[in-house]
Amino acid sequence: MAMQALLSYGSGSDQSEDDDATEPTQGDPADLKRHLEPLESGKSISTLHTTLSLNAAPIVASKYDVNQVVPIDPTTKELSFNPKFDQLYAPTIGPANPNQTQQQMAHKNMLSGFAEPSHFNNFQFETQRRTFHSYGYAVDPSAENPVGETVVGDKIKSDETKGLTVFEAASKRPGDKRKRVKNTDPSDIEGYLGPWGKYVDEKTVMRPSEEEKEALDEILAKRNKKGKQVDEKPMEEKTQLHIKDAYDYQDRSFLHIPQDTGVNLKSEDPPEKCFLPKKVIHTWSGHTKGVAAIRWFPKSAHLLLSCGMDCKVKIWEVYNDRRCIRTYHGHKQAVRDACFNNSGEKFISCGYDRFCKLWDTETGECISRFTSRKVPYCVKFNPEEDKQHLFVAGTSDKKIVCWDIRSGEIVQEYDRHLGAVNTITFVDQNRRFVTTSDDKSLRVWEWDIPVDFKYIADPSMHSMPAVTLSPNGKWLACQSMDNQIVIFNVLNRFKFMRKKTFKGHMVAGFACNIDFSPDMSYISSGDADGKLYIWDWKTTKLYKSFKAHDDVCIATLWHPHETSKVVTAGWDGVIKYWD
């Protein structure tokens, strides 16, 4: 049937048979029959290919000839040329976008439309622009060859100034040009003025009127009265011993480290594992007002030093009878901070009476006193053995002052903070120290170089009035006033650890001190409600919180040689020992 269809195809054609055999016509049945004979007789199909030729790709008009805009495949990830807007958003298949507005379909030579080339004078354009900004009017640029120049803007102002521009001379006003007293004769040695002559109507001496003079005298009198520096005499220092004998039968003072406590207080290694405290085992009550700070005796921690708002400094026994050993009286106002030297034989205290006083721990004698007429908020001895004669104090006048206790003079001032200095912490093997201030910043200083080499401040940071260094010296824990403890990495360029924050307590407005457990497993802090909070150091999870004091729990200290002993101090005047 297929052969009959081929033979009957084009039977109505009357083309000639004189064409070449290799190019048979489509409509001649005789030629088709002749070319199909090999198929019928079983001949090879290759002989048929030699006589037939088909054109599989005829010449047609391409889309590039029809449309000058070459569309871009929307799946293309990278373009090797810079296409125009029409080319970039041209439809790949189908007609143009029917939803385009007439403005979008208009001819464009730039993204926003069609721009006609034009020429204008830059000076004239700038003149009119400045005139419009200065006087409020300019020549109308849309008017073509006007008979009289039309103005856009303030026409009344244009009539007053007669259409003057900023580059044309305006009429002189009285007082624009003041006359000078002239004497250009250089031979007149005393009267020669040259270019330094005064104005004719210039007044060089102005006297206040009688009423102004009375008001000024009254202001100056108030200033002088307010600014008088009253030389406050320091309070006479005295001490009180509360135990029967200052020395035992071997002539040893209370500074001697006891051997009968069951704990190796001379050990330099911390305990292997610490535990959470559960109950109060002792309460020290001797301060009549709140306690501001507590400090362990260096290395052994068998004594506890406390500073009170009752202007007293007391030292307590931690073991045996746990008595109050000695009270040091020497400040007129509340004592803010205290610090032992490395041996513990001396300590320095600072108070709101603007004095720092150096005490002998054993005898209670006040060795020397220092003042810069400003309130010292914190004091620290330099921990290096060869610098035990130097201590630094952060004051209310934004300075960190370094004193030499041998001469009693200031040997260095670090003056870069913008607010009162709250804390001083030595880091990096005591080669540097970190200070925080009311200016919500943290600065790092090289010792004896009065320029901070590291300044950390951020709009999201808050003031940090309490800072503690971890026992391994790697981390700096700062009590932030937004009710959280933030951590800085001391070894890694003081990097702020954003994910390492401890929350849950309320300390806004109170400088509650922080402390680490000796094995670095816990971190603890008091809060404004008198509670003690203990977090896990690794996971920042709050492990425990309990009521420790009736008022603000201002300080907490872990014992460096015990596994679960913690001391807390509060504004209720009580110091508690927890186990």
Side-chain angles (χ1 to χ4, degrees):
M1 293 296 291
M3 288 300 182
Q4 290 177 3
L6 282 172
L7 291 172
S8 64
Y9 177 75
S11 59
S13 178
D14 52 353
Q15 288 183 355
S16 64
E17 298 180 7
D18 297 334
D19 296 336
D20 188 70
T22 57
E23 296 180 3
T25 58
Q26 196 174 13
D28 193 352
D31 288 338
L32 284 172
K33 186 176 181 181
R34 177 165 48 87
H35 284 293
L36 293 172
E37 283 179 0
L39 290 174
E40 296 175 356
S41 58
K43 292 183 180 180
S44 173
I45 195 69
S46 61
T47 58
L48 182 62
H49 281 295
T50 57
T51 56
L52 284 175
S53 63
L54 299 175
N55 188 1
I59 298 174
V60 294
S62 66
K63 60 181 179 180
Y64 301 103
D65 300 329
V66 176
N67 185 11
Q68 292 182 354
V69 177
V70 181
I72 296 173
D73 186 5
T75 60
T76 304
K77 301 292 185 182
E78 181 180 353
L79 294 176
S80 59
F81 64 99
N82 189 15
K84 294 183 178 179
F85 175 81
D86 295 336
Q87 186 176 357
L88 187 63
Y89 293 100
T92 54
I93 298 174
N97 186 2
N99 298 322
Q100 281 186 333
T101 62
Q102 188 176 2
Q103 183 180 1
Q104 290 173 333
M105 295 175 67
H107 178 57
K108 298 179 182 178
N109 62 356
M110 57 186 300
L111 183 61
S112 58
F114 185 82
E116 295 181 1
S118 60
H119 173 73
F120 61 89
N121 189 298
N122 286 330
F123 175 74
Q124 293 294 339
F125 177 83
E126 191 65 20
T127 301
Q128 296 301 326
R129 187 185 69 82
R130 294 188 182 183
T131 303
F132 187 81
H133 281 285
S134 300
Y135 299 150
Y137 64 86
V139 176
D140 187 1
S142 61
E144 297 182 0
N145 301 323
V147 179
E149 287 187 346
T150 57
V151 175
V152 292
D154 192 352
K155 294 184 179 180
I156 299 174
K157 183 76 173 180
S158 173
D159 295 337
E160 290 178 0
T161 58
K162 298 180 182 179
L164 293 177
T165 64
V166 291
F167 287 101
E168 294 173 339
S171 58
K172 293 182 180 179
R173 296 170 295 181
D176 280 356
K177 188 72 174 177
R178 298 165 65 187
K179 291 185 179 180
R180 287 181 178 272
V181 179
K182 293 184 179 179
N183 185 356
T184 56
D185 184 12
S187 61
D188 186 1
I189 297 174
E190 294 186 3
Y192 176 70
L193 297 175
W196 303 282
K198 298 177 182 177
Y199 292 107
V200 174
D201 54 348
E202 183 179 0
K203 294 180 180 179
T204 55
V205 178
M206 294 284 288
R207 282 191 176 183
S209 63
E210 292 297 328
E211 296 179 358
E212 292 175 343
K213 189 175 181 181
E214 289 179 5
L216 289 171
D217 290 342
E218 186 178 349
I219 292 170
L220 290 173
K222 286 182 179 179
R223 285 183 182 174
N224 292 334
K225 186 178 180 180
K226 185 178 180 181
K228 281 185 179 178
Q229 293 288 344
V230 180
D231 292 333
E232 294 183 1
K233 293 183 179 179
M235 178 181 173
E236 183 182 355
E237 297 84 6
K238 57 183 180 179
T239 184
Q240 181 181 358
L241 186 68
H242 299 283
I243 56 178
K244 186 176 181 180
D245 296 318
Y247 302 93
D248 61 2
Y249 67 97
Q250 290 184 345
D251 201 27
R252 298 177 302 190
S253 70
F254 57 86
L255 299 184
H256 177 73
I257 302 173
Q259 307 287 334
D260 55 348
T261 59
V263 181
N264 184 8
L265 299 178
K266 295 183 179 180
S267 172
E268 295 183 358
D269 298 326
E272 293 183 0
K273 177 63 178 175
C274 288
F275 305 95
L276 298 177
K278 295 180 180 179
K279 61 181 180 179
V280 180
I281 59 174
H282 189 73
T283 301
W284 289 288
S285 56
H287 288 283
T288 56
K289 294 183 180 180
V291 180
I294 50 177
R295 298 285 181 264
W296 288 123
F297 190 84
K299 297 179 183 178
S300 64
H302 72 285
L303 298 173
L304 183 69
L305 188 74
S306 63
C307 310
M309 298 178 189
D310 55 357
C311 315
K312 298 175 184 177
V313 182
K314 291 178 178 287
I315 194 163
W316 315 79
E317 279 182 335
V318 178
Y319 295 97
N320 300 327
D321 296 334
R322 297 193 173 111
R323 301 165 294 177
C324 178
I325 299 176
R326 190 181 282 279
T327 302
Y328 308 86
H329 304 267
H331 289 278
K332 284 185 178 180
Q333 297 183 33
V335 185
R336 171 68 187 240
D337 194 13
C339 180
F340 280 107
N341 64 356
N342 285 1
S343 63
E345 296 174 355
K346 301 174 185 175
F347 71 90
I348 192 159
S349 63
C350 67
Y352 287 99
D353 57 354
R354 297 182 171 84
F355 277 93
C356 297
K357 298 196 175 184
L358 183 67
W359 303 83
D360 188 300
T361 311
E362 184 178 330
T363 63
E365 177 193 358
C366 182
I367 301 171
S368 55
R369 54 189 76 87
F370 314 89
T371 181
S372 61
R373 299 186 181 276
K374 302 295 177 183
V375 178
Y377 286 150
C378 54
V379 287
K380 274 287 174 67
F381 271 101
N382 189 312
E384 289 294 313
E385 289 294 338
D386 58 340
K387 295 184 178 67
Q388 286 291 287
H389 58 282
L390 300 173
F391 76 90
V392 284
T395 59
S396 59
D397 64 340
K398 315 169 190 175
K399 294 181 181 179
I400 301 109
V401 184
C402 180
W403 296 85
D404 191 331
I405 62 177
R406 300 173 299 186
S407 62
E409 296 179 355
I410 297 174
V411 294
Q412 186 64 271
E413 279 188 358
Y414 305 85
D415 185 10
R416 301 278 284 186
H417 274 292
L418 305 176
V421 180
N422 293 321
T423 64
I424 300 172
T425 310
F426 282 86
V427 297
D428 195 11
Q429 298 178 357
N430 306 323
R431 292 176 294 198
R432 301 168 179 168
F433 63 93
V434 180
T435 58
T436 59
S437 167
D438 286 345
D439 61 3
K440 302 180 183 180
S441 69
L442 184 146
R443 295 177 189 259
V444 189
W445 314 75
E446 294 278 357
W447 176 256
D448 218 15
I449 298 176
V451 180
D452 53 323
F453 79 92
K454 184 78 173 179
Y455 171 68
I456 301 173
D458 189 79
S460 62
M461 281 177 62
H462 289 70
S463 178
M464 298 179 290
V467 176
T468 303
L469 184 68
S470 64
N472 57 12
K474 293 181 180 180
W475 311 98
L476 208 63
C478 306
Q479 188 77 268
S480 180
M481 286 291 96
D482 56 347
N483 297 322
Q484 61 180 355
I485 299 172
V486 296
I487 306 297
F488 290 88
N489 189 338
V490 177
L491 301 181
N492 190 12
R493 299 181 182 178
F494 292 89
K495 182 182 177 183
F496 176 45
M497 311 300 292
R498 295 192 180 275
K499 295 184 179 180
K500 199 92 168 171
T501 55
F502 301 88
K503 303 177 183 178
H505 58 322
M506 297 289 292
V507 290
F510 300 93
C512 298
N513 285 316
I514 315 159
D515 198 28
F516 291 86
S517 62
D519 65 341
M520 284 288 297
S521 58
Y522 304 112
I523 183 171
S524 62
S525 169
D527 84 331
D529 297 330
K531 292 182 179 180
L532 179 66
Y533 286 79
I534 302 175
W535 295 267
D536 180 53
W537 167 248
K538 290 184 178 179
T539 63
T540 69
K541 179 183 177 182
L542 179 61
Y543 269 172
K544 195 171 187 179
S545 66
F546 53 87
K547 185 78 172 177
H549 292 271
D550 296 332
D551 209 331
V552 180
C553 180
I554 199 68
T556 172
L557 287 177
W558 287 75
H559 197 287
H561 301 292
E562 299 273 7
T563 55
S564 60
K565 299 284 198 312
V566 178
V567 175
T568 60
W571 281 8
D572 53 359
V574 175
I575 303 169
K576 294 184 178 181
Y577 199 30
W578 303 80
D579 187 6

